[in-house]
Amino acid sequence: MEKYSQFRDRGSGISPFIPSTTPTSTVTKLLHGTLFLFRLPLFLSYSVVFFLVLDHLPSFIIPQFARKLLLWTFLGIPGIWWVDLQLDGVKRGSLSQQPSSRFPGNARRSVIAAQFTSPIDALYLAAIFDPIFTVSYPNTRKVQRVSLLRAILLAFSPPVLSPPSPNNLTTLRALVKQNPHRVIAVFPEMTTTNGKGIMPFSPSLLTAPADAQIFPVSMRYTPPDITTPVPGAYLSFLWNLLSRPTHLIRVRIAEGVSNNSAAETNGGSVASSSTDRAGGDEEVTPEEQALLDKISDALARLARNKRVGLTLRDKAAFIEAWNKGRK
């Protein structure tokens, strides 16, 4: 992939946009093809029923535990049965001994800052935490609330270089205030990667209230070819997802951090007074940048990779070059 060498991070040499591949033999491909043909109609039928009917039923018809069961069935069809969940800094086998506040959702106000690599990210987070999903954009602290389906499809979408109308945006502070007992899920990288690097963050996390815990969450997949760094890769994703007997998800959760830059002052927040006005496009202060760096470093540590300096514009340029090279 030398022709895409300009899209490697200069410091680390990491290329976060090249799709991952797993070599297989001819015999293995035949076996995978059989499994794919068996699973495909079941997966598509379940997807249609879930997103067109079940996902819109009120909670008194489908309570939270039943919804999570439906989502785990969704994950089970393509063979995502094994999840290796660990807390950062906690020895294996001692999860039950940790305070409940180490997990998102057990604290009264929780925000997840998740690495973004695959459509499975949103599906897994929904099955475990039932969060409110948001979309972050560059150069604005505001976010857009979206459905689970929209969060999944976002993993197939090209990078968005400018936010939509401010009328469709809100802040994490407002979402937390309106839903104090729900987890808020944020993908601060704003676009997918192949999981080999952490891209620069949107400033959207800076609108989290000071009393909320921000939990960095990393999800890595084995095999890694169900990541979707290139938009529109529906067919290859379905093949990689449905043709393999099983997939492993390694989930790592760091300790929650607080947005001290949003400290309460006289019953109101300095950050909220500025970020809730006129789109929240003001400069990031050194204290705020330190918070973003801390969360980004935590994600890189959890994912066992490095931070990269490539931006959304770099990915847009890569996609253009990739599409030209595939013609």
Side-chain angles (χ1 to χ4, degrees), residues 177-207:
K177 183 177 181 180
Q178 296 164 6
N179 306 273
H181 301 292
R182 293 283 303 277
V183 176
I184 311 298
V186 182
F187 298 108
E189 294 175 281
M190 299 171 284
T191 190
T192 52
T193 68
N194 56 18
K196 297 180 180 179
I198 302 297
M199 292 181 63
F201 280 5
S202 161
S204 60
L205 288 172
L206 299 176
T207 65

Side-chain angles (χ1 to χ4, degrees), residues 155-158 230-235:
F156 296 106
S157 303
V230 175
Y234 298 97
L235 295 180

Side-chain angles (χ1 to χ4, degrees), residues 43-277:
F43 183 79
L44 293 180
S45 299
Y46 194 90
S47 300
V48 170
V49 172
F50 181 85
F51 287 116
L52 293 185
V53 180
L54 300 178
D55 196 34
H56 299 283
L57 295 178
S59 58
F60 67 85
I61 296 179
I62 299 184
Q64 187 182 62
F65 78 89
R67 175 180 167 80
K68 289 188 175 183
L69 181 62
L70 292 171
L71 288 168
W72 274 110
T73 302
F74 213 149
L75 291 169
I77 292 174
I80 304 177
W81 295 108
W82 182 255
V83 178
D84 177 18
L85 173 64
Q86 290 292 319
L87 296 180
D88 186 34
V90 175
K91 294 182 179 180
R92 288 183 179 273
S94 60
L95 284 179
S96 60
Q97 303 172 12
Q98 303 305 309
S100 60
S101 58
R102 281 297 310 268
F103 293 89
N106 290 331
R108 184 173 180 270
R109 298 183 172 193
S110 301
V111 176
I112 288 176
Q115 186 182 11
F116 198 19
T117 62
S118 170
I120 303 300
D121 295 343
L123 197 59
Y124 173 78
L125 291 176
I128 297 298
F129 303 111
D130 189 28
I132 295 172
F133 289 99
T134 63
V135 179
S136 298
Y137 298 97
N139 305 318
T140 180
R141 303 186 183 205
K142 292 197 170 185
V143 297
Q144 183 178 16
R145 179 174 179 172
V146 296
S147 65
L148 169 60
L149 178 59
R150 173 73 187 284
I152 291 173
L153 294 178
L154 185 66
F156 296 106
S157 303
V160 178
L161 302 181
S162 59
S165 169
N167 296 331
N168 298 325
L169 302 180
T170 184
T171 63
L172 296 181
R173 175 178 302 278
L175 288 175
V176 169
K177 183 177 181 180
Q178 296 164 6
N179 306 273
H181 301 292
R182 293 283 303 277
V183 176
I184 311 298
V186 182
F187 298 108
E189 294 175 281
M190 299 171 284
T191 190
T192 52
T193 68
N194 56 18
K196 297 180 180 179
I198 302 297
M199 292 181 63
F201 280 5
S202 161
S204 60
L205 288 172
L206 299 176
T207 65
D211 59 347
Q213 292 289 297
I214 304 174
F215 293 89
V217 176
S218 167
M219 290 162 283
R220 294 187 298 148
Y221 301 94
T222 304
D225 52 12
I226 59 173
T227 58
T228 55
V230 175
Y234 298 97
L235 295 180
S236 61
F237 170 75
L238 286 175
W239 168 260
N240 293 329
L241 180 69
L242 301 177
S243 64
R244 299 187 180 278
T246 187
H247 300 270
L248 169 65
I249 309 179
R250 289 182 172 86
V251 182
R252 299 293 182 266
I253 303 176
E255 189 171 2
V257 298
S258 298
N259 181 13
N260 293 327
S261 63
E264 298 291 336
T265 304
N266 295 327
S269 170
V270 174
S272 71
S273 63
S274 59
T275 59
D276 290 346
R277 294 195 311 260

